[in-house]
Structures are given as structure tokens and as C-alpha cells.
Amino acid sequence: MLHATLPLDTEPFAFTPEPVEAAPARRPLQRQGVGVHLQGLTKSFGERRVLDGIGLELKAGEFVAIVGRSGCGKSTLLRTIAGLDAVDGGRITVGNGVARDAQRDGPPLRMMFQEARLLPWKTVLENVALGLPNGLHAAAGALAAVGLADRADAWPAQLSGGQRQRVALARALVHEPSLLLLDEPLGALDALTRIEMQQLIESLWRQRGFTAVLVTHDVQEAVALADRVLLIEDGRITLDLAVDLPRPRTRGNPAFAALEEKLLDRLLAR
Ligand SMILES: Nc1ncnc2c1ncn2[C@@H]1O[C@H](COP(=O)(O)OP(=O)(O)OP(=O)(O)O)[C@@H](O)[C@H]1O
């Protein structure tokens, strides 16, 4: 049984503050990504079995995307990995510990949602520093890493949707997560902002080495970012597609387009 009340964005973790000024282009890894092992996960809501024996092995530092038709259980899977939803059966291991203990004592995981979920009465900097005693310096570093150093004193309401998602990303990064769970975080953004955010997430992932799991409706986004794309159908993983293309990836390149088409064909075949 998993713990259901993980305070994803408030729990303090040990971290090393990042220099606010003159941050190196590629700073040394402070925390490695962790492997994730899922075994026979089952989860039902009433009569409806949403996860029907999910088994999965994620390597440390891997970037995995999850796609599938609306309602197939993508968010539920992410929420169970985060410990926000309890599973009915099966086992989740994050790093070396079962998820419940890993969340409490082990490598930190953070989750990002489609909405930024910022506190409107706190400034951008205070939102990022939430839950971190003396965390303003680290928060300023995280804001600089997402390109928002100059908006530290702004209120959330004064930001665009894309900027608010950057703040949400900074709020996750300030905890130096070993596992970052991304639940359609770019779904509400316009096409251009979305591509800029994809590039930002990819470059931060490459610099920092965390393991990333991205739920997305956008197969192009999945192919652009992921090492592997998983398709969920009927509560199971029915396709595990390796994306063996050099990074950064070029949309429209024939190999890219072929993978995108393969995924779309599978999604539309249902
Ligand atoms: N708390 C809940 N109570 C009851 N049913 C739920 C709950 N959460 C999810 N469900 C149901 O579980 C199924 C899977 O939901 P989930 O949100 O995981 O799907 P999804 O693939 O992420 O969908 P979408 O792509 O539309 O966001 C849906 O049928 C949904 O109605």
C-alpha cells in the first residue's frame, strides 16, 4: 500500500545552492537520476480497472514519455508512482527503496501538472522557495535556470501561462529531484511556447541527469524528448518504442516523422 499524501512541492530536501550569478553552462551533477521499477501494478476506480498489471523498468537518468487515449490511465500511473494515489496491488520501487519509504527518506521526486498551482499571494521567488528554510538563494538560482531571474518579485497573476509553468519547473528543480514526473505540463501552452519549454526541459534534463517521466497527448512532443515512448491501452503497456535519434532532434526529419506516424497509427487504430 502506498502513502497517499506526499507533499510534492513543500517537503524540504537537502540540496546545494546554485550560484545565482555566472552559473556555469554545464554544472556538475549534484544528484543522479534514479531507476524506477514497477511490478504488477493494479488500480481500479469502482468497477473500472484502470491499471491492469503494469510492469516497467526505468533506467536511472532515462527520459520516458507515456501516451495513450484520453482516460487510459496515464495520470493515474504517474500519480501512483508519486504516491498520490494508492495502488490496489503490485509494487513500486524508486531507487533502492519501495516508493513509500523512498518518498520519505530517499531520493526526492517532484511532480509538475498542467496548471502551475502557484500561491497567488506569494511572489514568484517565494513560490519557488516554498518549504525550503533559507531557500531564497537556491530559489533565485532555480529561477535563473528557467530564464526568469528578472521576474523574481512579480506576482503569479502578472505572468503569462508559459512563465507560470517555468516557475512551476523552477519550484520542482530547486529540490534537486532525482525523479521528475511531468503530467502534461505543456498541454495548455501555445505551440511556440510549448516548443521553447520542451527545449528548456530537455536541456535541464541533460545538465542535471534526473530521471523524467512525461505524460503527453502530443506524439511529436514524446518523440522530441523521450528515449522511450510507452503506449498504454486497456490498463497495460502495449508498446515500448525506443527513440534512437540524436539530440536535439529535428522535427520533420524522416526518421522522426516515421516514429511519430507509427505512434499516431497505433493511437488511431483503436
Ligand atoms: N479519483 C478518481 N475517481 C474515480 N475515477 C477516476 C479517478 N481518477 C481517474 N479516474 C478514472 O480513471 C480513468 C483513467 O483516468 P486518468 O486521469 O488516469 O486518464 P488519462 O489517461 O490521464 O486521461 P487524460 O488523457 O484525459 O488526462 C478514467 O476513466 C477516469 O475517469
Side-chain angles (χ1 to χ4, degrees):
M1 186 65 73
L2 290 176
H3 197 250
T5 54
L6 174 70
L8 286 172
D9 286 307
T10 56
E11 194 175 310
F13 290 104
F15 66 96
T16 308
E18 187 174 9
V20 180
E21 291 167 30
R26 189 180 172 87
R27 79 207 223 313
L29 287 184
Q30 292 176 15
R31 205 195 291 278
Q32 299 290 333
V34 279
V36 178
H37 180 61
L38 311 180
Q39 214 177 346
L41 285 197
T42 57
K43 168 84 181 166
S44 297
F45 291 110
E47 295 290 292
R48 178 162 158 61
R49 179 160 278 219
V50 177
L51 306 181
D52 189 20
I54 298 260
L56 180 62
E57 196 78 49
L58 304 185
K59 289 201 281 281
E62 205 169 22
F63 200 131
V64 175
I66 300 176
V67 299
R69 296 189 79 112
S70 182
C72 72
K74 303 182 294 295
S75 295
T76 304
L77 177 59
L78 226 54
R79 291 175 61 82
T80 59
I81 297 173
L84 291 172
D85 282 353
V87 287
D88 301 330
R91 189 179 167 86
I92 301 174
T93 311
V94 178
N96 293 324
V98 285
R100 177 184 173 139
D101 301 327
Q103 286 156 11
R104 291 226 181 107
D105 313 315
L109 64 85
R110 293 280 138 178
M111 190 158 171
M112 204 180 146
F113 304 90
Q114 187 163 342
E115 331 78 49
R117 304 187 180 187
L118 305 178
L119 299 180
W121 60 87
K122 289 193 178 284
T123 66
V124 161
L125 184 68
E126 288 165 351
N127 265 283
V128 175
L130 264 183
L132 288 173
N134 309 314
L136 290 178
H137 184 73
L143 275 178
V146 300
L148 279 186
D150 58 338
R151 304 312 306 273
D153 297 327
W155 302 102
Q158 295 174 311
L159 302 182
S160 69
Q163 288 172 329
R164 280 198 281 274
Q165 284 306 71
R166 281 178 191 254
V167 177
L169 183 56
R171 189 184 50 192
L173 292 176
V174 77
H175 295 279
E176 300 280 347
S178 294
L179 173 62
L180 185 59
L181 302 170
L182 302 153
D183 192 357
E184 190 76 21
L186 313 183
L189 304 181
D190 68 86
L192 194 59
T193 307
R194 189 169 183 138
I195 289 176
E196 286 171 355
M197 281 295 284
Q198 288 169 3
Q199 291 169 344
L200 176 65
I201 289 171
E202 183 180 33
S203 93
L204 290 165
W205 167 74
R206 291 179 76 168
Q207 285 167 26
R208 295 173 181 235
F210 51 79
T211 307
V213 185
L214 168 72
V215 162
T216 180
H217 285 107
D218 180 346
V219 294
Q220 190 178 79
E221 180 167 288
V223 175
L225 293 179
D227 297 316
R228 286 156 70 195
V229 184
L230 311 175
L231 172 66
I232 298 187
E233 294 170 306
D234 301 324
R236 289 173 172 269
I237 294 168
T238 56
L239 179 70
D240 186 340
L241 185 69
V243 184
D244 193 13
L245 301 175
R247 295 173 185 270
R249 294 171 179 160
T250 315
R251 291 164 175 76
N253 156 305
F256 187 113
L259 289 173
E260 206 182 328
E261 197 176 324
K262 182 169 182 169
L263 285 167
L264 265 182
D265 283 350
R266 279 295 295 265
L267 281 163
L268 293 170
R270 302 285 294 186

